[in-house]
């Protein structure tokens, strides 16, 4: 009997709307690095998703299954239940924060024995409507889950409560990355700057994130507006897409910055782009973790983030936290202080903090029972 090859455990990853954001990047990262002879992922996404990397998922042996979005609740429930039953899944891993109550209810109805709710973020005072829904659904988040996961202690305590966290019932899965890919590389820096027509003397302020309220692009542009008054050769590099992109473009034009701001859109080569920047700025209104900050640090860039970004995102000495109440001028004062900063690789330091995907993927395999 010993030589009969076992099929890998198939896990239904409920992603929700796939828009190429941070959560999707984390799940894909783990997928690329787990042992696929033991564990396989199938991705269940809303049918109005964009940017799903079908080709890569299929190449790795996974499937993409589209279902109606949760807003069409009855159809969502019916379809998801059917998919989970037919796939005979033993584990469902839901990544949609408070909305996991809907996906895990369907999973319970489909008699899936292991139902993981994963907390990827918290809330923010400024997003009134979104918050209301989060607060209403939060008490139900534990209702249909058998297991709990989070990307940070903050996110775990926020969604599942202190009691469960203190009892050690919540698995902390670091949003680990491929450190080799992000490590600082002088040669790549030169290449990317050449591609973007940026010379060596130009001071590049960078940001990677979706154009949504949470990321606070409007303030980011204010900061850059002040910065370029002091550093005539400064440019701002914005990577990502999203509903507020046009609004930001209009603001940039109104401030007369059109020639100094690069809108690079959705990119899949973020690891290369970090190399080209000098400072990374993340003035988010809230973050569950702030993964981009860890990536930027791995690439050796100096980082400035709002105090709304959890402190644990600081994994090297190259981060300064500033208040959102501080003026854009104050942010610029701090940014200008590091002009003599010498960039070095930080791979070893970041690995020690638990963000090395090679190591963390092994832990996840064991968790799933692979």
């Amino acid at each position: 009997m010993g030589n009969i090859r076992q099929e890998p455990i198939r896990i239904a990853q409920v992603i929700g709307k796939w828009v190429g954001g941070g959560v999707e990047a984390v799940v894909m990262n783990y997928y690329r690095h787990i042992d696929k002879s033991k564990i396989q992922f199938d991705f269940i996404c809303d049918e109005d998703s964009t940017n799903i990397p079908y080709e890569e998922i299929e190449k790795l042996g996974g499937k993409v299954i589209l279902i109606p979005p949760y807003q069409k609740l009855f159809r969502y429930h019916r379809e998801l239940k059917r998919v989970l039953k037919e796939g005979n899944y033993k584990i469902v891993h839901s990544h949609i924060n408070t909305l996991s109550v809907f996906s895990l209810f369907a999973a319970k109805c489909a008699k899936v024995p292991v139902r993981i709710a994963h907390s990827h973020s918290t809330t923010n005072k400024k997003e009134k409507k979104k918050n209301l829904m989060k607060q209403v659904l939060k008490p139900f988040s534990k209702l249909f889950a058998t297991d709990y996961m989070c990307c940070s202690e903050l996110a775990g305590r926020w969604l599942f409560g202190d009691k469960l966290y203190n009892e050690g019932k919540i698995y902390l899965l670091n949003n680990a990355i491929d450190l080799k890919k992000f490590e600082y590389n002088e040669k790549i820096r030169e290449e990317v700057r050449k591609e973007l027509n940026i010379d060596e003397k130009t001071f590049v302020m960078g940001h990677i994130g979706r154009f949504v309220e949470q990321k606070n692009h409007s303030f980011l542009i204010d900061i850059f507006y002040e910065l370029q008054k002091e550093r005539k050769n400064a440019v701002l590099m914005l990577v990502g897409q999203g509903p507020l992109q046009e609004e930001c473009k209009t603001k940039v034009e109104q401030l007369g910055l059109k020639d100094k701001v690069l809108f690079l859109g959705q990119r899949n080569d973020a690891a290369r782009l970090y190399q080209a920047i000098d400072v990374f700025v993340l003035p988010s209104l809230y973050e569950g973790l702030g993964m981009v900050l860890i990536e930027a640090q791995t690439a050796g860039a100096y980082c400035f983030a709002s105090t709304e970004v959890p402190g644990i995102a600081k994994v090297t000495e190259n981060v300064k936290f500033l208040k959102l109440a501080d003026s854009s001028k104050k942010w610029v004062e701090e940014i200008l202080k590091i002009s003599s900063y010498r960039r070095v690789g930080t791979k070893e330091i970041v690995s020690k903090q638990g963000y090395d995907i090679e190591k963390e993927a092994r832990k996840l395999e064991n968790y799933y029972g692979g």
Side-chain angles (χ1 to χ4, degrees):
M1 286 292 285
N3 61 1
I4 294 176
R5 198 180 164 280
Q6 266 196 313
E7 280 294 300
I9 304 166
R10 278 208 170 260
I11 292 159
Q13 302 284 349
V14 179
I15 302 291
K17 219 172 293 312
W18 190 303
V19 288
V23 172
E24 299 92 293
V26 170
V27 181
M28 278 306 288
N29 242 335
Y30 273 97
Y31 187 35
R32 290 178 192 117
H33 290 89
I34 54 166
D35 180 343
K36 282 168 277 295
S37 68
K38 295 181 187 171
I39 308 276
Q40 258 301 348
F41 288 3
D42 288 344
F43 297 85
I44 301 175
C45 311
D46 295 356
E47 58 198 10
D48 54 353
S49 293
T50 52
N51 297 313
I52 300 177
Y54 288 100
E55 214 172 289
E56 185 182 4
I57 289 169
E58 277 155 29
K59 212 181 260 171
L60 295 172
K63 290 201 286 277
V64 176
I65 301 158
L66 297 178
I67 60 170
Y70 80 92
Q71 285 91 342
K72 300 173 177 160
L73 207 46
F74 294 107
R75 274 185 59 214
Y76 174 84
H77 178 81
R78 198 172 60 231
E79 275 300 290
L80 183 52
K81 190 172 133 190
R82 180 187 64 75
V83 166
L84 295 175
K85 257 189 173 150
E86 285 176 10
N88 196 21
Y89 295 101
K90 299 290 177 276
I91 302 176
V92 167
H93 190 156
S94 180
H95 296 274
I96 48 182
N97 268 18
T98 49
L99 297 173
S100 288
V101 60
F102 301 128
S103 53
L104 296 182
F105 177 53
K108 190 175 172 145
C109 294
K111 297 190 170 56
V112 179
V114 179
R115 305 180 292 277
I116 305 166
H118 195 141
S119 176
H120 285 278
S121 77
T122 55
T123 65
N124 164 256
K125 305 171 270 298
K126 293 200 169 65
E127 293 192 318
K128 298 272 194 303
K129 208 167 117 187
K130 213 172 176 183
N131 274 357
L132 183 66
M133 188 167 77
K134 281 182 176 179
Q135 295 300 352
V136 167
L137 294 173
K138 201 162 103 171
F140 301 104
S141 59
K142 300 193 280 276
L143 206 53
F144 306 114
T146 59
D147 294 79
Y148 315 101
M149 241 187 224
C150 59
C151 68
S152 67
E153 180 180 339
L154 188 74
R157 289 183 184 277
W158 177 79
L159 188 58
F160 305 119
D162 292 332
K163 187 173 179 291
L164 274 181
Y165 200 91
N166 295 340
E167 286 168 0
K169 300 249 174 74
I170 303 169
Y171 183 88
L172 175 65
L173 182 73
N174 279 325
N175 292 358
I177 52 175
D178 185 344
L179 299 181
K180 291 191 294 291
K181 221 169 83 180
F182 285 91
E183 196 180 12
Y184 180 52
N185 184 316
E186 192 70 45
K187 196 165 153 285
I188 296 175
R189 177 182 170 89
E190 284 167 21
E191 273 171 24
V192 176
R193 282 185 162 235
K194 214 167 163 179
E195 286 163 26
L196 298 170
N197 290 325
I198 299 170
D199 68 26
E200 225 356 85
K201 292 190 179 70
T202 302
F203 186 77
V204 181
M205 174 173 142
H207 174 87
I208 296 182
R210 293 190 68 232
F211 283 86
V212 288
E213 194 180 354
Q214 174 197 350
K215 299 296 178 188
N216 207 4
H217 280 83
S218 184
F219 185 52
L220 188 68
I221 294 164
D222 291 338
I223 295 168
F224 179 69
Y225 179 64
E226 294 301 330
L227 176 71
Q228 53 88 42
K229 288 183 193 167
E230 305 296 325
R231 294 285 298 256
K232 295 285 179 268
N233 64 341
V235 298
L236 172 63
M237 182 165 100
L238 299 175
V239 183
Q241 60 184 30
L244 301 178
Q245 193 172 339
E246 288 312 308
E247 206 176 286
C248 291
K249 283 185 174 170
T250 306
K251 178 166 180 160
V252 162
E253 284 187 26
Q254 283 166 348
L255 291 173
L257 299 175
K258 203 176 167 200
D259 299 336
K260 294 189 167 197
V261 180
L262 305 173
F263 286 90
L264 299 185
Q266 187 75 22
R267 300 274 294 233
N268 53 12
D269 60 346
R272 293 178 72 245
L273 296 173
Y274 283 115
Q275 309 293 337
I277 65 177
D278 296 301
V279 294
F280 186 82
V281 183
L282 187 70
S284 301
L285 301 179
Y286 64 93
E287 290 285 349
L289 172 65
M291 202 51 227
V292 284
L293 206 59
I294 290 164
E295 294 174 351
Q297 287 171 84
T298 307
Y302 205 96
C303 304
F304 294 86
S306 73
T307 47
E308 304 301 316
V309 177
I312 52 156
K314 178 176 177 165
V315 290
T316 67
E317 289 307 303
N318 306 341
V319 181
K320 181 138 181 100
F321 291 103
L322 296 164
K323 294 190 181 77
L324 287 175
D326 288 339
S327 67
S328 46
K329 282 194 169 116
K330 168 87 174 123
W331 280 62
V332 170
E333 270 169 38
E334 294 298 328
I335 290 169
L336 291 173
K337 280 181 191 169
I338 60 107
S339 51
S340 59
Y341 163 71
R342 193 175 148 269
R343 194 156 172 169
V344 289
T346 57
K347 192 171 137 208
E348 299 315 311
I349 304 168
V350 180
S351 175
K352 279 199 184 88
Q353 301 279 348
Y355 290 99
D356 183 344
I357 193 78
E358 300 293 343
K359 293 180 189 165
E360 300 307 304
R362 299 297 79 77
K363 292 183 194 168
L364 183 62
E365 278 163 24
N366 295 334
Y367 179 90
Y368 283 145

